[in-house]
Amino acid sequence: MNAAGTGHLPDRMGIEFLEVTAEKVVARMPVEGNTQPYGLLHGGASVVLAETVGSIAAMFQAGEGRAAVGIEINATHHRSARSGHVTGTAIPLHRGRTLATYQIEVVDDEGRTVCTSRLTCMLRDHAPS
């Protein structure tokens, strides 16, 4: 996925893509290594996972020769995770020509919701080289 432009942060967080389609993007991330001092999954790590899957979904909407740039994200943390993996799934709420918005649910290994997030991306043409 790095060739598609995800950058280095997903690698550092241990994010692994499970499904990447125009209708849904799913990725998982280990809790270990992504915790805060109390041993709980860091809320910022959940947001990194959410923005990663939502941005990849928006890249599909943008299309060839265009870019998706996140302009707003919010997150509600519902429960903690201490071990295993969390999985983020992005589904579209709005797919327009210049804006795309995605709902992202992050769940633990038991399928319990850890975090819900909404990401809006601006879709624009790549700058000329």
Side-chain angles (χ1 to χ4, degrees):
M1 286 300 302
N2 275 346
T6 61
H8 299 287
L9 185 57
D11 290 336
R12 289 183 181 158
M13 303 294 287
I15 294 174
E16 169 190 11
F17 290 89
L18 305 175
E19 180 179 348
V20 180
T21 68
E23 295 303 316
K24 178 168 61 171
V25 175
V26 182
R28 73 182 198 147
M29 175 181 73
V31 172
E32 185 177 340
N34 293 313
T35 58
Q36 39 89 311
Y38 302 110
L40 304 173
L41 177 67
H42 195 291
S46 295
V47 176
V48 168
L49 177 60
E51 186 157 4
T52 299
V53 295
S55 292
I56 295 298
M59 287 170 54
F60 267 93
Q61 178 63 21
E64 183 104 17
R66 301 189 77 214
V69 179
I71 60 171
E72 190 270 338
I73 188 165
N74 67 45
T76 301
H77 304 289
H78 304 284
R79 71 170 53 245
S80 60
R82 290 186 177 272
S83 63
H85 288 81
V86 289
T87 301
T89 301
I91 58 169
L93 294 176
H94 171 77
R95 294 187 292 184
R97 192 182 74 72
T98 58
L99 285 178
T101 303
Y102 292 85
Q103 176 82 23
I104 301 101
E105 183 178 21
V106 178
V107 300
D108 64 14
D109 287 334
E110 286 76 43
R112 299 174 299 188
T113 302
V114 172
C115 175
T116 53
S117 184
R118 189 184 68 239
L119 171 70
T120 299
C121 291
M122 181 172 36
L123 311 178
R124 35 184 322 181
D125 295 333
H126 278 296
S129 328

